[in-house]
Amino acid sequence: MNKITTLDEFIMSRQKDFAYASGELTGLLRDIGVAAKIVNREVNKAGLVSILGVAESENTSGDTVQKLDLYANEKLIECLSNSGECAGIASEEDEDFVAIPSVEGKESKYVVVFDPLDGSSNIDVNVSVGTIFGIYRRKSDVGGPIEREDFYQKGTDLVAAGYVLYGTSTLLVYTTGRGVNAFTLDPTIGEFCLSHQNIQIPKSGNYYSVNQGYYLKFDVEMRRYVDHCCDLNYRLRYIGSMVADVHRILFQGGIFLYPNTRKYQHGKLRLLYECNPLGFIVEQAGGRAITCQLERIMDIEVKDLHQRATIAIGSPEMVDEMEAFVKKYQAPA
Ligand code: AHM
Ligand code: MG
């Protein structure tokens, strides 16, 4: 029988990769792993309990909030508050960042950004949803209050990022900038077990993932690229959960697109806690993540916690190809 490596064992074994590591980042990743298990439990029983359904509130971006979003948000904050390794958080569900009180006088160096339950419109119909997170080293003085600048950091400043996919099985995928590894939750022992090591995205693929219902609202260069995908008989897959759509592409190759539309003139997806963490993971796996205006996602200045960005992310050769279409067909400046 192969030796099982649990998420905790793996995180601990990687701690020595970082010079001067004192275990805080390790502690943070473990806290997120615990939160993921709790959220997973609730997602799995969502159909059985009364918390299923739409809460009567909207998040800061104007989308309807499902009750499970709020639950996942609370659990992540609770878990990140336990060990004292996190100084503050910014979440899709909170308009502003939230300071986390110090535990036993610990002075945390890190802040965490997350989308607690992405793709929440899928919950009521038993379709995959996910959690996305990113970890930054704070910029303000350790020991003092956290500041907005702690969160206004580019993707290139990420120390770690990951996602949890609550799918047919539950997977946690993360990177600390030294490759990408995935852990599958074994529900019988309640542990995330190492299942995919050093993931490499295929250089090209057969899948494209875009909400083609918005086709007529895309810019001409994006319509030409989508036409090209159709021409080549690429297979269209669009779940409407970015985590699940990008996960397929990470493993099987392809491209995920969320361009600007008439309704979402700067794209729909959020830079800080959706595009940047997934961009970091895909780049670490050998892929690319750029905007539909061809800027590298991880280089974009963050000026707002809930800033939106367009995105084209996936296999490097397919993103290169999309880039060539944009250059060829975009309106002259
Ligand atoms: P959410 O964070 O409110 O769930 O919204 C983000 C989701 C992504 O997971 C998904 O890719 C996208 O919204 C789908 O949007 P649309 O329905 O416009 O295609
Ligand atoms: Mg989201």
Side-chain angles (χ1 to χ4, degrees), residues 92 115 117-119 132 269-270 273-274:
E92 175 167 354
D115 181 352
L117 213 54
D118 184 58
I132 311 172
L269 300 170
R270 272 49 69 112
Y273 43 79
E274 293 179 330

Side-chain angles (χ1 to χ4, degrees), residues 59 63 69 92 115 117-121 211 214 238 240-243 245 256 258 264 268-270 274:
N59 69 16
D63 306 323
D69 296 23
E92 175 167 354
D115 181 352
L117 213 54
D118 184 58
S120 45
S121 65
N211 190 333
Y214 302 149
Y238 192 71
S241 276
M242 188 193 193
V243 172
D245 283 315
F256 172 92
Y258 206 115
Y264 294 114
K268 176 187 178 192
L269 300 170
R270 272 49 69 112
E274 293 179 330

